[in-house]
Amino acid sequence: MSQSESIHDLVQSHRITAVIYVAAKLNLAEAIGDDAKSAAELARLLSTDEPALRRLLVCLITVGICRQADRDRFALTDLGRQLDGNADRSFKDWVLFEGEMLVQSWSGLIDSVRSGKSASQLRGDGDDRYAAVRNSPEWIARFNAAMINLTRTVVPGIVKAYDFSSARVVMDLGGGTGELIGGVLHHNRGLEGIAFDLARCEEGALAYFDRLGIADRCRFVAGSFFETVPRGADTILMKSIIHNWKDDRCRIILRNCWDALPSGGKLIIIERIMPELAEANPEDRSRAMSDLNMLLGPGGVERTEAEYRALVESAGFVFTSTSSAGAFSLIQFERIAN
């Protein structure tokens, strides 16, 4: 934290979220494109009030999303291009997910801190946020799109951090619409893959495999990892799965993985690792904020490396190593026969 930053500044951070969300919702980045445009032209393109839009643009300049090409024309910065849904490193869907869904749950933080219960539990929906919303097409579509945005940014780090050359069939558990397993297979031409998730993800995953040209070596299997995990893979990936659940629920998933893997099979947990001692820096702040989001949402928890190791080893696995992939880490385990 800078010496000039104060509580007054920090508590207004929600306004930055609101400003960026509105820019994404208006399709501002797509409207600006590669050429600077005047506020009047943008107002016509976006069907907004020109003076009000100009005020929004000024705010976006102050947070680094836009820049002023001259007195009356506005352009995108490199950061702002991430709001373009067509950009390679787009975070637009994540911004919409944050602005429309996650922000709402954070209003109940005080109740979760007082009770230790998630928002779903406090509403009486049980302890599974995903089950509670599985019949909401809007939530499912927004969630899947947001996860694609996030996963796409970490795939390069994951394929660099782990050598898949000894694997034959890799399964992404809770693989959604296939962004991670697709990226792994795209960078490892000799691999076969399985995406395992709920049936609602199948159509999107198969379409993605077709677009990547890997449909002949990657398949989708529908099911719940709380019930069973399909056999056939020698390596299982789980990105941002274990952090969703408390230890007892995690052990069910992990034991099902142990049953599905052959002797010598690999389990790779891909998660943010909480620091043993948190400090005032952006990395620790991001992890701590994610931890509170787990409390509010599915009722899970971000863990330290030691906590992840103890949890996974309690299901029978043997820890082998940890490697960094940017904001995430790959915590690697092996299934040793009893």
Side-chain angles (χ1 to χ4, degrees):
M1 185 185 301
S2 67
Q3 291 182 350
S4 61
E5 197 169 27
S6 70
I7 289 293
H8 176 268
D9 300 316
L10 289 172
V11 81
Q12 296 186 93
S13 298
H14 66 98
R15 300 184 186 187
I16 297 175
T17 302
V19 166
I20 297 173
Y21 166 74
V22 169
K25 192 70 174 178
L26 286 173
N27 299 316
L28 179 68
E30 291 87 345
I32 294 176
D34 294 329
D35 301 317
K37 291 182 174 64
S38 68
E41 184 178 2
L42 289 170
R44 287 194 301 271
L45 290 170
L46 301 174
S47 300
T48 61
D49 177 77
E50 179 184 342
L53 180 62
R54 179 185 291 276
R55 293 162 75 172
L56 178 71
L57 288 164
V58 171
C59 279
L60 290 167
I61 289 171
T62 68
V63 296
I65 301 296
C66 292
R67 61 181 177 85
Q68 211 154 352
D70 54 42
R71 184 173 179 82
D72 190 52
R73 293 190 308 136
F74 300 85
L76 292 173
T77 63
D78 289 341
L79 181 66
R81 294 183 193 282
Q82 294 181 25
L83 290 182
D84 186 336
N86 299 313
D88 290 338
R89 290 179 56 82
S90 174
F91 268 98
K92 181 177 183 178
D93 287 309
W94 183 272
V95 170
L96 295 174
F97 182 58
E98 186 86 39
E100 293 174 2
M101 302 188 179
L102 293 187
V103 162
Q104 298 175 26
S105 66
W106 276 70
S107 65
L109 176 60
I110 190 167
D111 296 317
S112 290
V113 170
R114 281 173 170 160
S115 66
K117 296 180 179 179
S118 69
S120 294
Q121 291 173 316
L122 289 168
R123 289 194 305 268
D125 295 334
D127 62 357
D128 188 345
R129 175 182 71 174
Y130 302 104
V133 300
R134 67 165 52 109
N135 294 320
S136 169
E138 178 189 7
W139 193 95
I140 292 168
R142 183 67 76 212
F143 176 81
N144 284 341
M147 293 304 108
I148 287 171
N149 277 181
L150 181 60
T151 301
R152 185 176 296 152
T153 66
V154 302
V155 166
I158 291 171
V159 297
K160 184 178 180 180
Y162 186 80
D163 181 5
F164 287 92
S165 62
S166 63
R168 183 180 61 84
V169 181
V170 177
M171 176 163 51
D172 184 10
L173 205 70
T177 53
E179 191 72 27
L180 175 55
I181 192 64
V184 170
L185 265 62
H186 181 71
H187 288 85
N188 295 271
R189 302 294 183 178
L191 280 180
E192 295 181 17
I194 303 169
F196 179 68
D197 210 321
L198 299 175
R200 69 192 185 201
C201 299
E202 182 170 8
E203 182 179 356
L206 295 179
Y208 183 61
F209 299 156
D210 278 335
R211 290 197 300 274
L212 277 184
I214 61 170
D216 60 331
R217 55 192 179 98
C218 196
R219 59 192 174 96
F220 185 94
V221 178
S224 167
F225 45 52
F226 287 116
E227 297 173 2
T228 188
V229 171
R231 297 175 182 268
D234 53 70
T235 303
I236 293 178
L237 305 178
M238 278 199 288
K239 178 194 163 293
S240 301
I241 300 297
I242 295 300
H243 78 155
N244 283 313
W245 314 100
K246 294 181 179 178
D247 286 3
D248 57 340
R249 300 277 276 168
C250 289
R251 288 192 186 93
I252 297 172
I253 303 170
L254 293 166
R255 192 64 195 184
N256 285 339
C257 289
W258 198 92
D259 291 339
L261 283 169
S263 178
K266 307 298 193 295
L267 175 67
I268 305 171
I269 306 297
I270 305 170
E271 297 281 2
R272 295 181 178 92
I273 293 180
M274 286 289 285
E276 293 287 349
L277 296 173
E279 298 180 0
N281 59 57
E283 293 78 16
D284 286 2
R285 181 187 301 180
S286 176
R287 291 174 173 86
M289 291 294 183
S290 182
D291 185 42
L292 284 180
N293 190 49
M294 291 302 101
L295 169 64
L296 284 162
V301 58
E302 303 289 1
R303 298 171 173 88
T304 65
E305 180 178 350
E307 289 170 335
Y308 275 118
R309 287 179 58 173
L311 176 61
V312 180
E313 287 171 345
S314 73
F317 288 94
V318 174
F319 170 77
T320 57
S321 64
T322 297
S323 54
S324 175
F328 287 81
S329 293
L330 281 65
I331 315 169
Q332 301 160 40
F333 300 87
E334 185 172 344
R335 182 198 190 277
I336 305 296
N338 288 337

